Structure formats: C-alpha cells, structure tokens
Amino acid sequence: MRKKVIFSVVSTVMGLSMVGCSAAGTQTAKVPDGNSTAAPTIESKPAASSKPIKLRINWWGSQPRHDATIKILDLYTKKNPNVTFEPEYSGFDGYIDKLTTQAAAKNAPDIIQMDAAWLADWNARNQLADLSSVNVKDIDPKLVEAGKYKDKSTAIPLGNNAWGMIYDKGSLEKLGFQLKDGITWDEYFKLARDIKAKLGKDQYVMQDATTNREAYTSYQLSKGKGQPVTPEGKFNFDKDTWLEWVKTFSDFRKEGIVPPPDVAVGDKELDPKLDLMLNGKIIFRNAHAAQASSWEGLKPGSIGVSAMPKDKQGGGWLKATFFFSVSQDSQNKAEAAKFIDWFVNDPEVGEISGTTRGVPVSNKIVAQLAPKFTAADKLTVDMIAKSIAGAQQFNPGAKGWNNFDTKEYKSITEALMFDKTTPDKAFDELKKKASEYEK
C-alpha cells in the first residue's frame, strides 16, 4: 500500500507538474545549490576499432549530484569505450560567468547544464545546437516544449522541480511550532515573530530575502500583481508591493528575525561551514525541490519542505529543474546528443541519479524509482506535490535581462540592507536600471 501511495503521488506530479509552467529554469530561479569541488578527468582506454572521442561536460550542484554524475559518466565509458569525459563541475556561484566567458571564446564544454533563465539569451546568440534527435517520447510534452527555440529542441529537460521553502523541522518542533500547509504570508510573518521570542540573540528565524529576486517574485505574484519583469521584457515591479516587502525585512533586521547584513551576505547554500540553516542560525530558507535531498544528506531526518506562502494566489511555481544543451561550437555534436538521449532514458542512469537533478523527466524512470525512494527523494516529491495546487505560471526570464536579475537587483538591494540608500531611492534606481534593458 505504501508503494502504491508513493507511485500515486509521483504520477500526480508528472501529470500536473506543468500546470504552472510555460516555455522554459535559476534558478532562476533563482535555483542555486552545492559546493565547489575540483574535477578529475575520467579516462578509459578507447576501443581500437572506434574513433576516440573526448566530451567536455559541465554542471553545478552539491556533492551527491557530483558523485552520481561521475558514476554515470564512468558507466557510459564502459558501454562506449571510445568515449571519455572531461568533467567540469562546481557550485552555482560563478558558474554562468565562467561558462559565458568560455562560450564567447568558442571554448564552451560540449555538454552544458543550463538553467531556463539563460536559454533565451543563448538561443538568440545561436550558441546551442539542435537536439531534435534525442528521444523525448516518454517526457511530458510541455517540459519538452520548454527547451525549444524556433521549433527546434536546443535544451533537454532533466527533472521536475518546484520553488518553495526548506526548513529545519527538527529545530522548529523543539521550539513547539509546526508549519501548516497553505500558510499565508501574514501567518508566516506572525509565526516568525512568535518563533523569535523563543530564540537566543544570535539565532534567527529566516534568511534575509531583501536581495532574493525569486522570493520577491513569489510575493508579488501571490498579491495578484503579475511578474516583476514580464516575459516580454517590461518593468512591472509594483512599487507599493515592493516597498511593503523591503520594509518588512527592514523591520525583521531590527527585531533580529533575520540576521544582520554582514552575517546574511556570508550565507552560502549547502556549504557545511557557511549555510546558516545547517549551522543552526536560521530555520527557514527558500529553495528548489531538487535541492531537498542535498540538505537532507547534510542534516539527516531534520528537513521539512513546504510550498511558498500565499495571499490572493499561490506564490510558487513548477518548472524543469534544468537542462542539458550542446554547444554549437562542439566538434562532437552527434555523440553529445547520443549521450543526452541515454542520460534521460536509460534505467541504469535513473538508478544512479535518483532525484539529484529533481524528479526524473521520464515517466518510466519515475515508475521504476518510486518504490525505492529514500527519505531524501520523498522530500523532493513532497515539495512538488505541495506546490501543484497554487502553482503560478513560470517565467524563465526575458531575453537580455539576465544581468538585471542576477547582478543589478542584488547590488541595489544589498545597498538597501546596509542602509546605504532608502527604499524609495532604491526603487527609483531599479526602475532606472530597468530602462536600460527594456526594448
């Protein structure tokens, strides 16, 4: 019966997960996770009768994803001895900057892990190869559509994902609190104040989301005000809603509900030394479902998941975790596409990968894995299932706006955190900067 229940949940996720999705995700969703790790080269003696091929492949993630991917690459080489890999993996910080520099020099890896937020710009620059040869018949058509550009597949989705909250359930329960499903923003903020009353001076309730673009997007969407930047590339930050948001976190800094700015800016997701939740400094943080297993691995048995708080509408969304693409400059496009086809469809890959890239996109692989899901896997599935009901339309980001989302917004709001500007001046600066991106 337990296995049937799990499979039922997963089937629901696969059938409904794109209710809130549009064409293709860091993010992103921002979707950040993992620690930087040095990457060895995987080598295997090529077969004498086949042309030796070395594929460079890059991805970001946490250690469980690194370990699983290395095993998968090794398995592919065993099955195809003429193909070896040169892996380049790291945490999320600095990933896209390095990749963009490589692509500009026509030196990008053959196989690239991509976030939906980057696809519009990369496709517009014709930097991604056609992957129409990849077998996607067992993948939800809406997920496949998310990776298309001008009717050609240039990005193959790797997993289902949701934007929501991760929290230290063990610490919350010790304080005598529980997080109910379907919580509103007002209830969530009240809960934060109630929790703070039981915490010590150097303990906080949540991360400071002043600089978190995705968290604010959730807030504005839930208020029924639409996307802060429309898919067409128009500035649509609602001033009153944004001022309300930043004032809330200004009050939280004064009340000790969020860490002081110098502590907040040092927070780094999934870094055992710098992650404030792992270190017991905060209880709640925003995250993607695909990251749940990584936190569970670092803090076993203590992690809880939730959909984003709601208001008039839900505040979260569902999306593809990320994608594999092939560089247009690759000299081995056909072999790279063959590997991606195998990666998303092979049962052995599914067993090794599990949910390290989110709930797998192949329906057959999900059915295969469901009875074997670990506690960490179930957290990923649970967040997706909890997010389905109120899921908003996913916006992958407008063409040409990536720097605004990842750099300009952070810079302006960080100055606000450190009291170097006022909320009204910060909003005016956001609007002014946005005018440089509007077409």
Side-chain angles (χ1 to χ4, degrees), residues 185-198:
W185 285 105
D186 287 344
E187 290 170 335
Y188 178 54
F189 292 155
K190 181 182 183 302
L191 176 65
R193 287 188 164 95
D194 292 342
I195 293 171
K196 178 58 186 178
K198 294 190 176 184

Side-chain angles (χ1 to χ4, degrees), residues 169-189:
K169 183 172 64 174
S171 295
L172 190 66
E173 290 176 349
K174 284 180 182 178
L175 292 168
F177 296 97
Q178 287 187 330
L179 182 66
K180 72 173 187 178
D181 290 334
I183 194 169
T184 66
W185 285 105
D186 287 344
E187 290 170 335
Y188 178 54
F189 292 155

Side-chain angles (χ1 to χ4, degrees), residues 70-81:
I70 291 293
K71 289 180 182 178
I72 291 167
L73 300 183
D74 189 41
L75 177 63
Y76 191 82
T77 295
K78 288 178 181 177
K79 292 177 177 289
N80 304 272

Side-chain angles (χ1 to χ4, degrees), residues 96-116:
I96 187 58
D97 294 330
K98 178 181 177 182
L99 180 58
T100 301
T101 300
Q102 289 175 321
K106 296 189 179 298
N107 187 39
D110 299 280
I111 301 168
I112 307 167
Q113 183 171 290
M114 295 288 290
D115 186 86

Side-chain angles (χ1 to χ4, degrees), residues 81-135:
N82 65 308
V83 181
T84 58
F85 293 90
E86 185 177 331
E88 302 174 13
Y89 55 91
S90 67
F92 188 77
D93 290 349
Y95 177 91
I96 187 58
D97 294 330
K98 178 181 177 182
L99 180 58
T100 301
T101 300
Q102 289 175 321
K106 296 189 179 298
N107 187 39
D110 299 280
I111 301 168
I112 307 167
Q113 183 171 290
M114 295 288 290
D115 186 86
W118 310 330
L119 291 177
D121 287 342
W122 281 64
N123 279 318
R125 295 192 296 262
N126 194 35
Q127 291 175 310
L128 303 179
D130 183 5
L131 294 176
S132 298
S133 63
V134 175
N135 176 13

Side-chain angles (χ1 to χ4, degrees), residues 12-179:
T12 302
V13 169
M14 296 304 296
L16 300 178
S17 65
M18 296 310 294
V19 168
C21 294
S22 67
T26 44
Q27 192 30 176
T28 213
K30 122 190 140 256
V31 237
D33 63 327
N35 307 319
S36 297
T37 311
T41 297
I42 296 177
E43 293 284 351
S44 181
K45 185 177 180 180
S49 59
S50 301
K51 176 184 175 182
I53 294 174
K54 178 177 284 188
L55 294 174
R56 289 171 59 209
I57 176 171
N58 74 339
W59 69 90
W60 73 86
S62 59
Q63 197 60 47
R65 186 181 300 162
H66 299 333
D67 294 342
T69 308
I70 291 293
K71 289 180 182 178
I72 291 167
L73 300 183
D74 189 41
L75 177 63
Y76 191 82
T77 295
K78 288 178 181 177
K79 292 177 177 289
N80 304 272
N82 65 308
V83 181
T84 58
F85 293 90
E86 185 177 331
E88 302 174 13
Y89 55 91
S90 67
F92 188 77
D93 290 349
Y95 177 91
I96 187 58
D97 294 330
K98 178 181 177 182
L99 180 58
T100 301
T101 300
Q102 289 175 321
K106 296 189 179 298
N107 187 39
D110 299 280
I111 301 168
I112 307 167
Q113 183 171 290
M114 295 288 290
D115 186 86
W118 310 330
L119 291 177
D121 287 342
W122 281 64
N123 279 318
R125 295 192 296 262
N126 194 35
Q127 291 175 310
L128 303 179
D130 183 5
L131 294 176
S132 298
S133 63
V134 175
N135 176 13
V136 294
K137 67 180 181 181
D138 198 43
I139 301 175
D140 189 306
K142 292 179 181 178
L143 276 178
V144 175
E145 191 66 28
K148 286 188 175 181
Y149 177 70
K150 294 184 177 178
D151 296 325
K152 290 183 179 180
S153 290
T154 61
I156 303 300
L158 301 179
N160 281 294
N161 206 0
W163 171 247
M165 292 196 298
I166 300 274
Y167 64 99
D168 186 341
K169 183 172 64 174
S171 295
L172 190 66
E173 290 176 349
K174 284 180 182 178
L175 292 168
F177 296 97
Q178 287 187 330
L179 182 66

